[in-house]
């Protein structure tokens, strides 16, 4: 295993060339950083108590829906994009149809438990029935070994797609488990669910511990892998998973170019704006994860983050500059999912950069970006990251 790690982006000198100082520091002194963080609990970055205090209301009558049938088989994965398209922005209808059933099933399960976990967060007083319902769904999939079957029965691209599906779904599952908390839950079902989440997290980590085109390339896949594993680290109180997430954060901040763009994302043709936003979301959530765990960004990293936010804000207002840069008209990227990163990062900015915070507040209002909902963040992102700016549901 050590030989594999020495070739990966985690440990190689290659990954530090041109990196910001904070990335080099983390790679060189990772054990020292980890030791400091281990003094306390690993935090998710969610502000659940504030959310319940500000937005809580009686839960009312509740009936737990039946869990969906678990999806176990991860074989025969194919990306929905035409493999002949170098920008990976042109959807192949046949490939999309081939994955539609599996994708729909995963989305249905993820969306259901995300909505349930939102309801759990806003229940005041806390309603243990909602939390038990969420665990019932998760434990049902855990006991079946969902998402763990036959992932190796793919070609290299299919295997990576299967692993990234594990990562995106893991982000949802770990986030909702964090949102409901362990109080009043069945210890056996909780232990089985945590074990399953750990298996998914280890599968994702293994993909990036090897030397392959994705560990070298990084981009939004790595950032989402980092966030998913970070949430799992908080759910399981696992320092190794926390440290994987922090390395992904450092790598992502080092990827931001001098204009604030993420080069791999703006190379995605007509979907460049969509992918710039999609990659920003896990990065800012990882920043909040780092903040919650006492990990400060370097000056260079703070500047990179500011460039990213400035670029994304300008892009939301007018995609013309990106269209000139890419040479292609951009698909719309102003919905509440694309702009969910605003509510994730806003509380961090208020004390550091009030002008930037006001600018993003204006964007959120202009494009009706609330509630900022994204299943991969476990549901209502504004609820758990920025409850001060959310309105109670009626």
């Amino acid at each position: 295993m050590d030989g594999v790690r020495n070739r990966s982006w985690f440990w190689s000198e290659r990954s530090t060339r041109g990196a910001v100082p904070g990335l080099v520091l983390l790679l060189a002194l990772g054990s020292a950083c980890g030791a400091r963080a281990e003094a306390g609990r690993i935090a998710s970055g969610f502000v659940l108590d504030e959310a319940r205090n500000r937005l809580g209301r009686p839960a009312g009558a509740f009936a737990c829906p039946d869990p969906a049938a678990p999806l176990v088989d991860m074989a025969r994965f194919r990306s929905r994009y035409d493999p002949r398209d170098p920008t990976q922005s042109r959807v192949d209808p046949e490939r999309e149809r081939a994955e539609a059933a599996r994708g729909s099933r995963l989305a249905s399960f993820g969306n259901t438990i995300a909505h349930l976990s939102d309801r759990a967060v806003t229940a005041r007083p806390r309603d243990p029935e909602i939390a038990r319902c969420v665990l019932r769904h998760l434990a049902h999939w855990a006991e079946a070994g969902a998402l763990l079957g036959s992932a190796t029965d793919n070609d290299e691209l299919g295997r990576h797609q299967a692993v990234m599906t594990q990562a995106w779904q893991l982000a949802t599952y770990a986030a909702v488990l964090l949102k409901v908390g362990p109080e009043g839950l069945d210890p056996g079902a909780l232990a089985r669910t945590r074990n399953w989440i750990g298996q998914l997290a280890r599968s994702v980590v293994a993909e990036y511990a090897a030397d392959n085109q994705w560990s070298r390339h990084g981009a939004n896949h790595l950032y989402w892998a980092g966030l998913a594993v970070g949430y799992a680290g908080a759910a399981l109180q696992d320092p190794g998973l926390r440290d994987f997430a922090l390395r992904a954060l450092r790598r992502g901040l080092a990827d931001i170019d001098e204009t604030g763009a993420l080069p791999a994302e703006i190379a995605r043709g007509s979907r460049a704006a969509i992918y710039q936003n999609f990659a920003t979301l896990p990065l800012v959530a990882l920043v909040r994860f780092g903040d919650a765990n006492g990990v400060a960004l370097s000056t260079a990293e703070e500047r990179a983050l500011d460039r990213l936010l400035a670029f994304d804000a300008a892009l939301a207002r007018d995609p013309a500059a990106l269209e000139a840069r890419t040479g292609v008209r951009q698909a719309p990227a102003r919905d509440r999912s694309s702009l969910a990163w605003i509510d994730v990062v806003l509380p961090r900015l208020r004390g550091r950069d009030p002008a930037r915070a006001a600018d993003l507040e204006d964007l959120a209002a202009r494009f009706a970006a609330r509630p900022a909902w994204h299943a991969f963040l476990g549901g209502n992102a504004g609820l758990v990251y920025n409850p001060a700016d959310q309105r109670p549901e009626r």
Side-chain angles (χ1 to χ4, degrees):
M1 185 63 176
D2 288 341
V4 172
R5 284 181 173 174
N6 286 338
R7 294 192 301 273
S8 77
W9 67 267
F10 284 111
W11 314 107
S12 69
E13 292 180 4
R14 176 179 62 228
S15 68
T16 68
R17 291 173 189 160
V20 293
L23 175 62
V24 178
L25 180 63
L26 185 77
L27 291 171
L29 302 177
S31 59
C33 295
R36 287 196 296 272
E38 287 166 19
R41 289 184 59 80
I42 299 169
S44 64
F46 296 164
V47 287
L48 301 178
D49 288 343
E50 181 184 351
R52 181 168 282 115
N53 290 337
R54 286 181 177 272
L55 304 169
R57 63 194 183 280
F62 176 75
C64 185
D66 289 333
L71 191 151
V72 177
D73 184 16
M74 300 294 280
R76 300 174 300 282
F77 257 91
R78 294 198 301 172
S79 167
R80 66 182 180 140
Y81 293 117
D82 186 338
R84 298 165 296 182
D85 174 21
T87 70
Q88 288 293 276
S89 62
R90 188 168 63 244
V91 174
D92 181 307
E94 180 183 347
R95 285 171 166 261
E96 187 167 50
R97 282 192 296 271
E99 283 300 322
R102 180 158 40 193
S104 176
R105 198 158 147 199
L106 289 170
S108 177
F109 178 69
N111 288 337
T112 295
I113 60 174
H115 283 295
L116 286 169
S117 69
D118 285 345
R119 188 168 177 180
V121 170
T122 57
R124 190 174 65 179
R126 184 177 182 274
D127 188 335
E129 288 302 317
I130 303 175
R132 284 194 281 266
C133 178
V134 171
L135 181 62
R136 178 187 171 199
H137 284 248
L138 288 170
H140 186 60
W141 277 48
E143 288 159 8
L147 279 69
L148 294 172
S150 308
T152 56
D153 293 346
N154 287 285
D155 60 18
E156 187 180 17
L157 179 58
R159 187 208 71 249
H160 181 71
Q161 193 69 22
V163 170
M164 284 311 304
T165 298
Q166 291 175 333
W168 289 313
Q169 301 308 311
L170 171 63
T172 301
Y173 308 158
V176 300
L177 189 61
L178 287 162
K179 286 165 69 177
V180 301
E183 295 82 8
L185 299 183
D186 176 71
L190 186 58
R192 291 189 293 275
T193 299
R194 284 174 165 164
N195 180 65
W196 172 59
I197 282 176
Q199 288 178 278
L200 290 171
R202 288 190 293 275
S203 177
V204 175
V205 169
E207 182 76 346
Y208 286 94
D211 182 34
N212 56 47
Q213 61 178 301
W214 295 284
S215 62
R216 294 190 296 271
H217 178 64
N220 77 80
H221 282 199
L222 171 62
Y223 317 152
W224 279 109
L227 183 62
V229 170
Y231 284 165
L236 305 181
Q237 291 300 294
D238 186 316
L241 300 183
R242 174 204 58 204
D243 293 347
F244 175 96
L246 295 174
R247 288 192 291 270
L249 167 61
R250 303 297 194 186
R251 170 75 177 270
L253 293 172
D255 286 342
I256 299 166
D257 74 13
E258 287 306 309
T259 72
L262 292 160
E265 314 311 330
I266 64 166
R268 298 295 294 268
S270 63
R271 298 176 69 82
I274 291 173
Y275 275 97
Q276 175 76 15
N277 281 293
F278 185 62
T280 296
L281 185 54
L283 275 181
V284 296
L286 281 167
V287 169
R288 293 291 302 273
F289 179 81
D291 289 345
N293 288 288
V295 178
L297 301 187
S298 69
T299 300
E301 289 169 333
E302 291 285 4
R303 288 172 179 163
L305 177 62
D306 185 62
R307 293 196 305 273
L308 176 73
L309 299 177
F311 182 95
D312 289 359
L315 174 60
R317 286 199 167 83
D318 187 355
L322 182 59
E323 289 177 344
R325 186 167 173 174
T326 60
V328 62
R329 186 175 181 82
Q330 290 299 303
R334 292 169 168 170
D335 58 276
R336 65 192 181 106
S337 177
S338 291
L339 298 179
W341 56 266
I342 293 176
D343 263 338
V344 178
V345 79
L346 255 180
R348 187 179 197 275
L349 293 176
R350 288 203 175 93
R352 290 176 168 87
D353 190 346
R356 179 77 66 212
D359 183 48
L360 295 184
E361 194 63 71
D362 176 70
L363 275 182
R366 179 181 303 193
F367 297 115
R370 291 184 177 128
W373 203 93
H374 203 292
F376 297 168
L377 296 187
N380 187 333
L383 174 66
V384 296
Y385 281 110
N386 185 26
D389 287 328
Q390 311 308 305
R391 294 182 179 178
E393 294 182 12
R394 294 180 180 178

